[in-house]
Amino acid sequence: MTAHRKLVAGNWKMNGLQAALSEVRAMVEGAASIPGVDLAICPPATLVNAVKAELGSSAIGLGGQDCHAEKSGAYTGDISAEMLADAGAGYVIVGHSERRAGHAETDAVVAAKASAAYRAGLIPIICVGESLEQRDRGETLAVIAAQLAGSVPDQAADRTTVIAYEPIWAIGTGRTPTTAQVAEVHQAMVETLSSRFGGAAKGIRLLYGGSVKPENAHELMHVEGVDGALVGGASLMAADFLRIAAACA
Ligand code: PGA
């Protein structure tokens, strides 16, 4: 398995007003002393422009949390991948379990959104993850394989792609899988992606997400096959986010 430079992406979800820009400023300052780790912030769409301005020439990346599959049109309330790129984003999260559950997004919808990201020149962060019921029934690896098959578009073979394994039961709960459980899923993802994309699968970074905190980051980020983290709650405060990043180094 190739060792990737790690990526720590912050998913702010529906959090963040203008006042949160001071945290971005602190992240920019702190990130300068954490070389060797890629960072990205995914604020709500209302802040993408303003965060871009705060980031200035910082190496910290910027992402949206969702995009529509179409470029433009009569889709009230939606935002296209092109709009995110135009606002300065380089990434977009697609298929987060909160969108799959709350907005009835199927694997096909997620794949279309990931394709839209490629079209707009964005790097998709495609999320997969099992529910607690599925884990208890022993279905985890089958669920993840099916989500990868349905949500990762064929273009992933020659485009930069990030995939985040986020067990639904670990998101926002303070519960995390054991390192053995994370390693098992990441190994299975590598095998699934390698059998579909061959050598090109090596270019795909595989993040872990779900209750990543400064306290558990070192352990989770050093599991074999984990190329970084998708961080929710702990990405809202610069101090926590930077401690997680430092744990990757
Ligand atoms: P959490 O969220 O870190 O707050 O558990 C992770 C995510 O939903 O991406």
Side-chain angles (χ1 to χ4, degrees), residues 14-198:
M14 197 172 74
N15 298 291
L17 303 174
Q18 299 289 324
L21 296 173
S22 61
E23 294 300 320
V24 176
R25 234 163 284 147
M27 288 174 190
V28 169
E29 276 169 33
S33 58
I34 311 174
V37 180
D38 292 335
L39 298 180
I41 305 170
C42 302
T46 47
L47 287 183
V48 170
N49 251 309
V51 170
K52 180 69 185 171
E54 288 295 341
L55 291 177
S57 61
S58 161
I60 298 180
L62 175 61
Q65 298 175 10
D66 175 50
C67 66
H68 196 279
E70 298 297 327
K71 248 184 211 170
S72 61
Y75 302 101
T76 302
D78 281 315
I79 292 172
S80 70
E82 281 76 4
M83 289 170 174
L84 289 170
D86 183 56
Y91 296 89
V92 61
I93 298 168
V94 295
H96 191 283
S97 60
E98 287 155 14
R99 295 212 54 95
R100 288 177 185 262
H103 298 264
E105 292 190 7
T106 61
D107 285 331
V109 167
V110 176
K113 291 181 174 201
S115 293
Y118 295 134
R119 184 189 64 217
L122 300 179
I123 297 172
I125 300 175
I126 304 170
C127 301
V128 297
E130 83 285 2
S131 68
L132 193 54
E133 295 69 34
Q134 289 166 331
R135 176 162 284 278
D136 287 344
R137 287 198 299 263
E139 297 169 3
T140 299
L141 298 185
V143 166
I144 303 301
Q147 287 179 336
L148 291 177
S151 309
V152 179
D154 290 336
Q155 301 103 292
D158 51 18
R159 308 294 280 271
T160 305
T161 302
V162 178
I163 295 173
Y165 167 54
E166 297 206 309
I168 296 169
W169 50 274
I171 295 175
T173 59
R175 281 188 68 187
T176 52
T178 64
T179 53
Q181 288 172 326
V182 174
E184 181 190 34
V185 173
H186 278 246
Q187 179 60 39
M189 291 199 294
V190 167
E191 283 163 16
T192 300
L193 294 166
S194 297
S195 65
R196 177 168 167 202
F197 297 117

Side-chain angles (χ1 to χ4, degrees), residues 11 13 96 98 166 170-173 209-213 230-234:
N11 171 13
K13 309 191 180 186
H96 191 283
E98 287 155 14
E166 297 206 309
I171 295 175
T173 59
S211 294
V212 177
K213 308 287 176 204
L230 183 56
V231 184

